[in-house]
Amino acid sequence: MSSSFSHDPEAWVPLSLTLVEYPKGNLLGLILAIISLTPFAVIAGFLTLMIFRRDLHTIAFFGGVTVNEIINFLLKHTIQEARPMRRDGLYSEYGMPSTHAQFMWFFATYMTLFMIFRSHQNNNISLSERFWRLLTMGICIGFAILVTYSRIYLQYHSTSQVLWGTVIGSVLGIIWFVIVHLVLTPFFPVIVSWKISEYLLLRDTTLIPNIFWFEYTNVRTEARARGRKLVSMKSQ
């Protein structure tokens, strides 16, 4: 069977969205190249959560991520500042502001505010829960710093391109957090009452301080009740 694709090398282009180059034999460069792929892992996590948890806040959060990316695209193609090193096959030849820095600092800023907000919503959180929230904030900020540094080290962006990405992402993270919690969240109870939301199994967990503990205790209670019912049926 003959292939319908052209064998002309000029007719083929690489899918360079996840392509990261690093200096040959440079272990730190390799590590930073892997870390620079963090935004794609975050997006995969978002998609997984939206499919399997279907929480309105997660969907709203991802909506902010999408808006952040659109703004970055518009800024890049308006400013049109070149990257510090010219590379073939890049999905965007422009580098101002850094997409990776803007994405990660939007995510880290929003997550930090979310954790603080949730802490204030529940005055009876345990020491261990407080520790995990602080750890989560630290991990988000830590990865944002590493990804930002990796873009400079690997010469995908200049220092100014990364700094502007950091500032823009952080500001947009704050703005979107305010929009979600002051404008969108009050409409969540209305949205989940719609027939289409019931069909899609959308839910609002805003008023539940610790969703993991809530789900754990409910599943445990239900499993025990069903276990006792099963034993009772077998003994009859």
Side-chain angles (χ1 to χ4, degrees), residues 3 16 45 69 85 88 94-95 98 105 162 170 196 199 201 206:
S3 173
S16 55
E69 290 299 291
M85 178 187 291
D88 294 329
Y94 306 125
S98 166
W105 283 103
V162 161
S170 299
I196 184 65
Y199 175 76
L201 301 179
T206 305

Side-chain angles (χ1 to χ4, degrees), residues 74-189:
L74 294 176
L75 288 173
K76 270 189 172 180
H77 288 78
T78 300
I79 301 172
Q80 297 185 355
E81 182 176 298
R83 296 172 184 267
M85 178 187 291
R86 180 173 178 80
R87 286 180 164 97
D88 294 329
L90 276 176
Y91 62 92
S92 175
E93 62 181 309
Y94 306 125
M96 173 64 86
S98 166
T99 304
H100 284 67
Q102 186 173 323
F103 178 96
M104 289 304 300
W105 283 103
F106 176 93
F107 177 78
T109 300
Y110 191 101
M111 281 296 296
T112 299
L113 292 174
F114 177 74
M115 290 295 172
I116 294 173
F117 175 80
R118 280 301 179 98
S119 295
H120 287 176
Q121 286 293 98
N122 182 11
N123 296 322
N124 299 317
I125 62 173
S126 64
L127 184 62
S128 62
E129 186 175 348
R130 190 182 301 275
F131 166 77
W132 284 111
R133 288 184 177 180
L134 290 173
L135 180 62
T136 300
M137 288 187 285
I139 290 174
C140 291
I141 294 173
F143 267 97
I145 293 172
L146 288 173
V147 170
T148 300
Y149 175 70
S150 74
R151 304 307 286 178
I152 299 174
Y153 184 88
L154 299 174
Q155 300 183 46
Y156 276 90
H157 293 283
S158 64
T159 302
S160 62
Q161 291 171 353
V162 161
L163 289 177
W164 275 110
T166 298
V167 171
I168 295 170
S170 299
V171 171
L172 289 176
I174 295 172
I175 293 173
W176 192 254
F177 178 83
V178 173
I179 291 174
V180 169
H181 287 275
L182 295 184
V183 180
L184 300 181
T185 299
F187 289 100
F188 286 175

Side-chain angles (χ1 to χ4, degrees), residues 64-75:
V65 171
T66 304
V67 170
N68 180 64
E69 290 299 291
I70 293 173
I71 291 175
N72 178 269
F73 178 85
L74 294 176
L75 288 173

